Amino acid sequence: METQPTASHFIDGTFLEDPEGQDFESSYPATGAVIARLTAASAATVDKAVAAARAAQPGWAATSPAERGRILRRAADLMRARNRELSELETLDTGKPLQETLVADAASGADCLEYFGALAAGLTGEHIDLGGGPGGSFAYTRREPLGVCAGIGAWNYPIQVASWKAAPALACGTAMIFKPSETTPLTALKLAEILIEAGLPKGVFNVVQGAGATGALLTGHPGVDKVSVTGSVPTGRKVMAAASDGLKHVTLELGGKSPIIVFEDADIENAIGGAMLGNFYSSGQICSNGTRVFVHRAIKERFLERLKQRTETIILGDPMDENTQMGPVVTRAQFDKVLGYIETGSSEGGRLVTGGAASGDGLFVQPTVFADVTDGMTIAQEEIFGPVMCVLDFEEEDEVVARANATQFGLAAGVFTKDLSRGHRVVGRLEAGTCWINAYNLTPIEMPFGGVKHSGIGRENGHAAIQHYTQMKAVYVEMGNVDSPY
Ligand code: NAD
């Protein structure tokens, strides 16, 4: 499969290379084969991208919202039409099985373009009655585009993250420079191509490549008004600090160590399915994964027995085979890190129920379950970002809520119970930005997504995203004479 892009960067509607930029490679995690060679953007290329976005943004903001929406919806159609090609490319870049990328990556990106395409013409302000009847004064609010936004992506859902940032920004009349992760640089360029084909004016969406240094150039750039980053907590901190100089707006979608709570009355098979989805999909490389699974003591052994049986049926192997359910992890560094956590889990007293080792020659890690995990263990505290599930047990509702909340993170949480009152009561007490009852990790575009505490600031998707790509202007209108003391 041809994977080498025309050039590394896409600026002002044109692919271009950066002769000053450092070379880097992208490789297929299943085999280690190099699939593309690119250059990182130097300061000059970042300047060029920012200048293109600044020049294009006023015209884009002046384009009618209905037309902006039509362009996004056309892009959604084009993305769906190219789903297989994009999914194969995403599988090569990330190692995630085709079975997943066919339904969860470009497909979610297309949903997002369609959703914000539909919303674009529905963006409204408010009328505020200040009294005095029909001739009285009033105020109104306008939602105005934020200007130029830098989007910075993580490697686990490359085209999805790019689309989740681009679609609301563009719907609002904001321009974007997107930097994908250096580990998975390819599909963002396809999104740029698709947007241009759909009719997006040049310069409104640009892509620059590179690692953290390029991201820092964007974050610190005086021509950037907002930064939206998906990544780890340490990166979020650096971005927030760098953005503070220019008092830039930030959206931070960061990491997690989310709880799943399985009460004694839960449908066990459904809860196991949710826990597996929330730990093993994408080889466990999902920010919102419910990696601390609290299971009521009364059902723990039954839960573990079925969990083990079902986990051992997962088909691990060639990501391009559509029967494969789990591929490798993304890089050698990630592979070493995950195996290191497994070793720590065993040495700190976790009971290995299944998995616990590498598999085959590539970067494959067996889906792994630890039981008898206690709150203080490293594997219960730190984000592993690999296929490692920790099962903890509990007795009381108050106890489990307190323990579930006892972490710096607050991205997501899940509750499994047949008692709906308890379900709603418990999610009301959990410190998390996104919760599921009797499900896990489902992220329809209509539903806002994001974290509290150290897991982030701001929300992607849903109407909530609009607030993050616009700023509000309030206008007071005097219909009589100004009430002035002078
Ligand atoms: P990372 O923090 O290493 O990198 C994320 C992005 O930030 C990359 O594009 C990277 O080049 C860039 N970056 C790094 N340093 C930077 C700096 N100083 N300034 C600007 N940009 C910089 O994260 P990762 O390893 O790519 O992804 C895994 C992490 O992302 C996990 O912690 C995971 O939980 C998190 N994540 C969160 C969400 C979410 O929506 N909350 C989604 C996916 C992944």
Side-chain angles (χ1 to χ4, degrees), residues 164-241:
W164 282 19
K165 295 191 188 306
L170 302 184
C172 295
T174 293
M176 178 166 276
I177 303 129
F178 186 79
K179 189 199 82 61
S181 164
E182 61 278 20
T183 307
T184 53
L186 300 177
T187 47
L189 294 167
K190 296 288 179 189
L191 172 63
E193 232 176 67
I194 285 170
L195 286 165
I196 290 285
E197 195 183 332
L200 188 76
K202 294 174 180 178
V204 177
F205 182 76
N206 309 276
V207 176
V208 296
Q209 304 286 355
T214 307
L217 287 172
L218 280 169
T219 309
H221 202 290
V224 168
D225 304 296
K226 178 197 168 87
V227 186
S228 175
V229 65
T230 298
S232 60
V233 174
T235 296
R237 280 201 190 95
K238 284 185 208 155
V239 166
M240 200 165 173

Side-chain angles (χ1 to χ4, degrees), residues 258-261 263 292 294 397-406 409-416 422-437 452-453:
S258 300
I260 292 177
I261 302 173
F263 284 99
R292 292 182 297 142
F294 292 91
E397 183 178 313
D398 285 351
E399 169 215 336
V400 76
V401 167
R403 290 171 60 201
N405 287 338
F409 299 109
L411 189 53
V415 176
F416 286 84
R422 173 155 68 183
H424 292 292
R425 183 173 68 239
V426 170
V427 293
R429 299 174 68 196
L430 290 172
E431 296 166 357
T434 308
C435 293
W436 294 272
I437 298 178
V452 300
K453 296 174 23 187

Side-chain angles (χ1 to χ4, degrees), residues 153 155-156 179 182 215 230-232 235 253-255 287 383 385 449:
W155 43 258
N156 58 341
K179 189 199 82 61
E182 61 278 20
T230 298
S232 60
T235 296
E253 293 289 349
L254 309 177
C287 52
E383 186 183 43
F385 227 55
F449 180 82

